[in-house]
Every structure is written in structure tokens, then in C-alpha cells.
Amino acid sequence: MAKKYRSKSRVEKASNTAIYAFLIALSIIWLFPFFFLILQSLRGEAGATTNYFFPKIITFDNYIKLFTDTSLFNFPKWYLNTLIVSVAVTVIQSVIVLITSYALSRLRFKMRKPLMNLILILGMFPGFMSMTAVYFVLKEIGLTQNLFGLILVYTASSAMQYYICKGYFDTIPKSLDEAARIDGANRHTVFLKIILPLAKPIIIYGILTAFIAPWGEYMFSSLLMLGDYDKFNVALGLKLMLHRENVSQYFTRFCAGAVCVSIPITALFIWLQKYYVEGITGGSVKG
């Protein structure tokens, strides 16, 4: 019996070792592009490519010039534009998604299910199919080359993101709502004081996805902001650095910009991760 147990233990250890080795190899493969990007952003040698991997000169000049040399590429302005749009979209979209999800989860009204099915079907069509129509509509009302127009485009279909949040709301027992209503709470109080604290994981998920989407978006911004250099976001601006006439001189600065673009998303995820974990470990009904 002891031999059988030791044999089983060795098999489990070997299996765990193989799994860990696979995960380590996968992590190295996944992290290699980011490591290469950071190295290139610190490279002091000019040129888009080199025949060696590690830079011979390590410097932070690429980061310094990225924010100080704005004669050709005004990266600080683009960075601020992107931050304004992303924060505005995050706030507006989060509010719309939460109230829509709560209404569809808790309220029963006529045409509720057909409306949900219609939204689900419309969500299957990619957004770029409407790019031309959206452009001409915004052009007629004077919202092209305008950050507000870009925010409007990103938030116009926010309610269509309801299904994940609604699914989470459905898992929260309705008995909590009923108990609060018996105690005299209205739906506004139930939503703010009971549902939202229990839905912290899905709220954090919604905030992260709402912020990430416009932060690196290129297609709609390239269409709406075409011709207005000062209204570019970081995706459009960094793309200019890779043009044939600029890439040899600005490639390392492009890499520095790409690193700077990744910082807010990484910081946001790290900051909100603990709240996400706390929400998952917490229970909906407490004794």
C-alpha cells in the first residue's frame, strides 16, 4: 500500500513539474515581445533595426524626447486626448451598462425579451460596417474632428454590452430585493445599496473593458480625426512614427511611446484587481 502511494505521489510530482515547465515556457514566449519592446525603447543607437539583440547604449533619451520634442510629433497632446476620451467613455458606458442590466434583470415589462433578442442580434454585426454612415451623420452635425464626437461613437452602443452584467445580476437572489422593499426601500435604494456592492466583480470587469477599448482604438479615430493633427489619439500618432520617412529616426521613440501607452492599463488592472478578488470571494447572502 505504501509503495502504491509513493508511486502515485511520484507520478503527481512529475505531472506537476511538467505543467510548471509548460507554463514557464509559455510565460517566456508571451513576455518576450514586451521585453524586446522595452529594450528597443532604451536603445541609444539610431535606426529601425539592428543585427544584435541587446542595445549597446542604454538611455532614457527616447522617453525624454517623446514628451519634450513636440515639433513633429506632439505625443503629450495625443496622450491627453486618449486619456480624456477613455475616462469619459469608461464613466458613461459603465453607468449605461449597469442601469440597463439592472432593468433587464429585475424589471418585467412588455417587449422585454424581443428587445433583448434584437440587441443580441445587432451586436453580432461588427461596428466598422457602420463607419461610413456614422461619419456622414457626425459631419452633418459638426462632430467630426472633435473629441466629443469620438466619445459619442464609443458610447452610443453601450447598452448592447448588457448581457454579461445582466447574467451576473441574475445570480444575485431576488429575495434580497424583496426584503429591502418590505423594509421600505425603493428601487433606487435597492440598486445602489444592495445590488451594486454585491456586483463588484462585474463592475470592475466593465470598467476595465470600457477603458481598454477606446485607449488603443484606431479605426474610428482615424476616420473621424483625419486631418486634425491635434485631435489624434496615441494609436494614430504612433502610427505616424512608423511611416517610411520617419521609421528610421523615430522607431526607438515609437517603442518608448508603446511602453507609455501600456502603463495606464497595467496600473488600472493592478489597482482594481484586489477589489475584483474581494468581490469574487464575498457571498451574496450572509447568514
Side-chain angles (χ1 to χ4, degrees):
M1 187 71 176
K3 290 182 179 180
K4 184 178 180 181
Y5 176 78
R6 285 195 296 268
S7 176
K8 184 178 180 181
S9 178
R10 289 174 183 172
V11 171
E12 290 179 352
K13 288 181 180 179
S15 177
N16 292 336
T17 302
I19 293 174
Y20 291 147
F22 173 76
L23 292 177
I24 291 173
L26 195 64
S27 300
I28 293 174
I29 295 173
W30 183 74
L31 291 173
F32 178 79
F34 299 96
F35 180 67
F36 177 77
L37 183 68
I38 294 173
L39 285 180
Q40 293 300 305
S41 70
L42 297 173
R43 176 160 59 88
E45 305 93 305
T49 59
T50 59
N51 56 2
Y52 46 88
F53 183 77
F54 291 97
K56 296 179 179 179
I57 303 175
I58 300 295
T59 178
F60 287 94
D61 285 349
N62 295 319
Y63 291 91
I64 296 173
K65 291 179 180 178
L66 189 67
F67 287 94
T68 57
D69 183 8
T70 58
S71 57
L72 183 59
F73 299 116
N74 195 350
F75 184 81
K77 179 65 174 177
W78 302 335
Y79 204 85
L80 181 61
N81 292 341
T82 310
L83 186 62
I84 292 173
V85 172
S86 297
V87 171
V89 170
T90 300
V91 174
I92 297 172
Q93 181 169 306
S94 298
V95 171
I96 293 176
V97 169
L98 287 173
I99 59 179
T100 303
S101 302
Y102 177 76
L104 294 175
S105 174
R106 289 302 198 259
L107 304 182
R108 295 296 181 267
F109 51 89
K110 190 176 181 181
M111 299 295 292
R112 172 178 167 272
K113 288 188 176 180
L115 177 63
M116 292 169 57
N117 293 333
L118 176 62
I119 294 176
L120 187 62
I121 293 173
L122 291 176
M124 296 179 181
F125 295 92
F128 66 82
M129 292 180 62
S130 61
M131 286 180 63
T132 305
V134 169
Y135 173 77
F136 282 108
V137 170
L138 292 179
K139 186 177 181 181
E140 289 297 322
I141 58 179
L143 288 181
T144 55
Q145 300 181 347
N146 188 298
L147 294 182
F148 179 76
L150 200 58
I151 294 172
L152 182 62
V153 169
Y154 292 150
T155 56
S157 60
S158 296
M160 298 176 66
Q161 314 298 324
Y162 79 89
Y163 39 88
I164 296 178
C165 189
K166 175 193 172 295
Y168 192 92
F169 284 169
D170 289 342
T171 64
I172 300 176
K174 292 184 175 62
S175 58
L176 296 176
D177 303 43
E178 296 168 356
R181 297 299 296 274
I182 292 174
D183 290 338
N186 54 27
R187 290 198 178 274
H188 179 268
T189 303
V190 171
F191 176 64
L192 293 179
K193 301 293 185 180
I194 297 176
I195 301 299
L196 291 188
L198 295 174
K200 190 179 293 184
I202 204 64
I203 295 175
I204 300 304
Y205 167 80
I207 291 174
L208 288 172
T209 55
F211 184 84
I212 291 173
W215 185 258
E217 201 277 331
Y218 179 83
M219 294 183 63
F220 272 104
S221 57
S222 64
L223 178 66
L224 296 180
M225 301 303 168
L226 185 64
D228 194 339
Y229 181 83
D230 288 334
K231 298 296 174 59
F232 279 12
N233 62 1
V234 289
L236 285 175
L238 292 177
K239 178 64 169 58
L240 292 178
M241 296 184 184
L242 295 181
H243 286 183
R244 184 171 58 182
E245 63 273 16
N246 300 321
V247 65
S248 60
Q249 182 179 354
Y250 289 94
F251 178 75
T252 52
R253 207 176 299 185
F254 162 81
C255 294
V259 173
C260 292
V261 169
S262 67
I263 291 175
I265 297 175
T266 305
L268 183 66
F269 179 80
I270 293 174
W271 177 51
L272 295 178
Q273 186 180 30
K274 60 180 180 179
Y275 300 104
Y276 183 83
V277 174
E278 288 175 2
I280 292 177
T281 56
S284 296
V285 181
K286 297 182 179 180

